């Protein structure tokens, strides 16, 4: 029985190799799907003190970023780490340099926050240079190349997913102006600059995947 099982496994592996299917690890064609169960805040009914608590969270973040985010969730300023990171960046005046370094860390919560943050940025219809300008206007650039690599990998994945979805809408037989309502034709804040570089679907058609874009971003 063991011999027949071993033979069957080898046969299955050979068929998978011949068909190009990856049977170990991630499939060849896949997009990352990251989710996290929101923690429950310890303190409740803190809405009237939200501004003061946010300022305290920012002060803690500038000393220890992970503690600052945890505090914001703990006291109910935001319900998740991703939302806490966004509100700290936009309204609390935290150090962008520290934020970039923190999001480049290999901590288990950082990939979730990275993807969420880049998904909230206007990366649609951008090119290599303009997308970097958008991303690092919100974050500081880490000096550690490994941290920078993690940020750019997440950014490339988000960019690729946005434009892959746009391409499906554009090529759909049922394409209409209503269907494309969520996809602006140009980047609202950077149209004049983008006209000088290959952007959006014009760039996407030359890329084999998010890994290629990641390499371009990192090299740039």
């Amino acid at each position: 029985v063991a011999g027949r099982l071993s033979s069957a496994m080898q046969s299955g592996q050979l068929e998978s190799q011949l068909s190009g299917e990856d049977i170990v690890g991630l499939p060849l064609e896949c997009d990352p799907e990251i989710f996290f169960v929101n923690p429950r805040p310890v303190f409740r009914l803190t809405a009237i003190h939200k501004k003061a608590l946010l300022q305290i969270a920012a002060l803690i973040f500038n000393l220890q970023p992970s503690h600052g985010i945890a505090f914001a969730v703990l006291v109910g300023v935001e319900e998740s780490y991703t939302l806490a990171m966004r509100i700290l960046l936009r309204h609390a005046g935290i150090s962008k340099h520290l934020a970039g370094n923190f999001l480049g860390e290999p901590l288990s919560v950082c990939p979730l926050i990275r993807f969420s943050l880049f998904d909230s940025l206007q990366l649609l219809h951008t090119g290599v240079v303009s997308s970097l300008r958008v991303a690092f206007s919100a974050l500081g650039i880490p000096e550690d190349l490994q941290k920078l690599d993690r940020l750019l990998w997440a950014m490339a994945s988000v960019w690729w997913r946005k434009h892959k979805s746009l391409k499906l809408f554009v090529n759909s037989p049922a394409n209409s102006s209503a269907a494309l309502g969520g996809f602006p034709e140009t980047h609202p804040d950077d149209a004049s600059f983008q006209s000088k570089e290959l952007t959006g679907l014009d760039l996407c058609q030359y890329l084999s995947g998010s890994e290629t874009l990641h390499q371009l971003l990192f090299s740039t």
Side-chain angles (χ1 to χ4, degrees):
V1 173
R4 288 197 297 271
L5 181 58
S6 176
S7 176
M9 290 176 64
Q10 291 176 0
S11 176
Q13 290 175 356
L14 179 60
E15 290 177 2
S16 296
Q17 290 172 0
L18 291 175
S19 65
E21 180 185 356
D22 180 12
I23 62 170
V24 179
L26 293 174
L28 293 177
E29 293 292 334
C30 71
D31 289 318
E33 291 288 350
I34 299 178
F35 64 91
F36 200 86
V37 178
N38 289 336
R40 294 181 179 178
V42 175
F43 300 97
R44 301 181 183 278
L45 304 177
T46 57
I48 59 174
H49 305 296
K50 184 173 182 177
K51 186 175 180 179
L53 292 171
L54 187 61
Q55 292 175 346
I56 295 173
L59 292 173
I60 298 174
F61 184 96
N62 287 334
L63 294 174
Q64 183 59 259
S66 57
H67 293 180
I69 293 178
F71 177 83
V73 175
L74 177 75
V75 299
V77 172
E78 287 294 346
E79 63 178 7
S80 68
Y81 299 121
T82 57
L83 293 175
M85 183 77 249
R86 287 191 205 177
I87 196 171
L88 284 170
L89 275 171
R90 293 176 181 174
H91 304 295
I94 61 173
S95 168
K96 291 184 179 181
H97 177 72
L98 275 177
N101 273 284
F102 168 69
L103 292 181
E105 293 283 356
L107 302 174
S108 60
V109 73
C110 288
L112 173 76
I113 302 176
R114 285 196 292 264
F115 275 95
S116 176
L117 179 64
F118 287 129
D119 189 55
S120 69
L121 299 179
Q122 292 282 355
L123 294 179
L124 200 63
H125 297 294
T126 59
V128 173
V129 176
S130 52
S131 63
L132 288 169
R133 293 174 73 238
V134 170
F136 292 111
S137 293
L139 291 175
I141 301 177
E143 297 174 359
D144 187 314
L145 292 182
Q146 286 187 323
K147 293 181 179 181
L148 179 60
D149 183 69
R150 294 185 189 106
L151 287 177
L152 295 180
W153 185 83
M155 177 181 163
S157 298
V158 171
W159 189 99
W160 178 256
R161 174 177 289 191
K162 284 177 178 284
H163 289 84
K164 189 176 177 181
S165 297
L166 174 60
K167 189 175 182 179
L168 290 174
F169 272 106
V170 170
N171 295 334
S172 172
N175 179 20
S176 66
S177 58
L180 290 172
F183 300 105
E185 293 185 0
T186 59
H187 190 287
D189 300 322
D190 220 9
S192 61
F193 179 82
Q194 286 189 51
S195 63
K196 302 175 184 178
E197 70 168 338
L198 206 59
T199 62
L201 294 181
D202 292 333
L203 172 61
C204 189
Q205 65 180 321
Y206 295 108
L207 302 175
S208 60
S210 60
E211 296 83 3
T212 308
L213 178 62
H214 170 227
Q215 293 175 15
L216 284 172
L217 293 170
F218 193 82
S219 300
T220 305

